[in-house]
Amino acid sequence: MIETDLRARLVNVADGSEVILPETAIFGRKSDSTIPLPDNRVSRRHSMIRRQEDDEYWFYDLGSFNGSYVNNERVTTTRQLEPGDVIRICDFEYRFELPQAGAANRSDIQDMQVVPMIILVSDIKGFTRLSELIPPDELAQAIGSWYSYCDQVLTEHGAAIDKFIGDAVLAYWTDVSPNARQWALSAAKYLRDSCDLIQEEMKWTFERYDVTFSSGVALHMGEVSWGRLGQGGLTMLGDAVNTTFRIQALTRQLGSDVLVTSDFMKGWKEGMKHVRPLGTHSLKGKHIPVDIYAVESAPELFLR
């Protein structure tokens, strides 16, 4: 019996060579990139493909100057790849292929277990207004730079990125110890500070349209169902994930860019010096209110 290789791949349009895609693949000028593109017009970290749950593959530009294109359309935020899509970076073209197993049941839940986790959600503020005012080419650079910072900061702080969702990122730590919470708090601070860096890097653009590039970050701790869903990679599901998204939405209302819950602070007495209580708040769609804290500082850690 002949086995069919069902792994996603990129096919070089010019010569037919193939690259089997790992969970995360980086296009870049650097020789150690997953897909190295030796051209000075290509950024060192130009763009990325990330596998998400249910065997979906999403494409991101990482703030490159010359842009990334899928089917001749410039990518400004995340874009899910479909079989046959053609990715173009400068003069390089790759076709995305994702063989499908006819008998595969993509809804199967495999190896899911209930575990406690630290959950982080970060979201770009006022994204709709940014999209209305800033031309797509310039917006793509800003959003792409933010994706790149998120990937770097979260990886350096020991987090796993579950997914990027347009103008938001969802990440988690499987360790819930006070030490892990220090790393999570530090990551939240760096994510917030990265927006200031992007604001300065693209100062002329943001001043021209009278807008500010900023983000809200939320940290929560709770039990989730975690494991492999169908044929996809690791993912998490559960009410704690939804709660974290709701908390992040409160950053605008409460006037603080980084918020944490009492569940995140529970049993971490040393961490209380970094936060200020904001009281108890009701969350949309939730019956039980949540105690929330504003983050005013973060531990100084040596990055890994």
Side-chain angles (χ1 to χ4, degrees):
M1 180 179 176
I2 299 175
E3 293 187 0
T4 302
D5 190 338
L6 300 177
R7 292 176 295 177
R9 67 197 66 207
L10 294 176
V11 178
N12 189 318
V13 173
D15 61 18
S17 60
E18 296 184 353
V19 177
I20 301 300
L21 288 173
E23 295 289 314
T24 301
I26 301 293
F27 296 82
R29 192 174 69 246
K30 295 174 63 178
S31 60
D32 60 352
S33 301
T34 316
I35 304 98
L37 306 176
D39 189 314
N40 287 334
R41 296 172 298 171
V42 177
S43 300
R44 294 172 70 252
R45 283 170 54 88
H46 196 102
S47 55
M48 172 175 66
I49 296 176
R50 181 181 291 277
R51 181 185 181 186
Q52 297 185 175
E53 78 269 18
D54 210 20
D55 218 23
E56 296 177 354
Y57 287 79
W58 290 75
F59 183 80
Y60 317 76
D61 184 86
L62 296 177
S64 67
F65 181 79
N66 288 309
S68 304
Y69 297 79
V70 173
N71 301 334
N72 291 320
E73 294 181 2
R74 183 157 185 168
V75 176
T76 54
T77 59
T78 55
R79 173 159 178 164
Q80 184 180 355
L81 293 173
E82 301 291 345
D85 282 349
V86 175
I87 297 166
R88 176 167 59 84
I89 297 172
C90 297
D91 295 333
F92 302 93
E93 289 190 338
Y94 288 86
R95 184 175 64 255
F96 174 72
E97 292 189 355
L98 181 61
Q100 299 293 329
N105 182 357
R106 295 168 65 86
S107 65
D108 287 344
I109 298 179
Q110 305 171 8
D111 303 323
M112 297 293 283
Q113 54 185 318
V114 177
V115 293
M117 283 190 178
I118 298 170
I119 306 163
L120 177 147
V121 170
S122 183
D123 179 79
I124 297 171
K125 293 184 178 181
F127 181 72
T128 300
R129 184 164 184 263
L130 293 176
S131 301
E132 291 172 347
L133 295 175
I134 301 176
D137 286 3
E138 294 175 80
L139 182 63
Q141 282 187 262
I143 303 302
S145 294
W146 185 74
Y147 290 151
S148 184
Y149 278 121
C150 286
D151 185 64
Q152 178 181 343
V153 167
L154 291 168
T155 299
E156 288 179 344
H157 284 81
I161 297 176
D162 186 84
K163 61 172 72 76
F164 287 98
I165 316 162
D167 58 334
V169 62
L170 171 64
Y172 60 88
W173 287 259
T174 54
D175 180 3
V176 296
S177 67
N179 182 61
R181 281 179 266 178
Q182 288 189 73
W183 285 98
L185 208 59
S186 177
K189 176 184 181 296
Y190 274 95
L191 286 183
R192 172 62 194 87
D193 291 349
S194 71
C195 292
D196 293 336
L197 295 176
I198 295 170
Q199 179 79 26
E200 185 61 30
E201 290 166 0
M202 299 186 64
K203 183 177 180 180
W204 186 80
T205 293
F206 295 123
E207 286 185 350
R208 179 157 47 105
Y209 296 102
D210 192 27
V211 293
T212 300
F213 193 85
S214 62
S215 67
V217 188
L219 285 166
H220 178 51
M221 194 168 73
E223 291 190 334
V224 300
S225 295
W226 180 65
R228 298 193 181 277
L229 185 63
Q231 302 299 312
L234 291 169
T235 191
M236 57 178 174
L237 305 167
D239 183 67
V241 178
N242 298 328
T243 296
T244 314
F245 275 96
R246 301 297 190 197
I247 297 296
Q248 190 283 139
L250 287 179
T251 57
R252 299 148 179 80
Q253 176 183 328
L254 299 180
S256 179
D257 288 336
V258 184
L259 300 176
V260 300
T261 64
S262 54
D263 288 320
F264 178 83
M265 301 304 302
K266 188 175 181 180
W268 186 28
K269 185 177 180 180
E270 180 67 17
M272 293 302 293
K273 66 184 180 182
H274 297 295
V275 301
R276 171 173 54 87
L278 294 178
T280 303
H281 296 267
S282 298
L283 303 180
K284 184 178 179 181
K286 306 292 181 183
H287 297 295
I288 302 175
V290 177
D291 291 333
I292 297 176
Y293 298 82
V295 175
E296 299 197 321
S297 63
E300 293 295 332
L301 303 174
F302 292 103
L303 296 184
R304 300 172 182 174

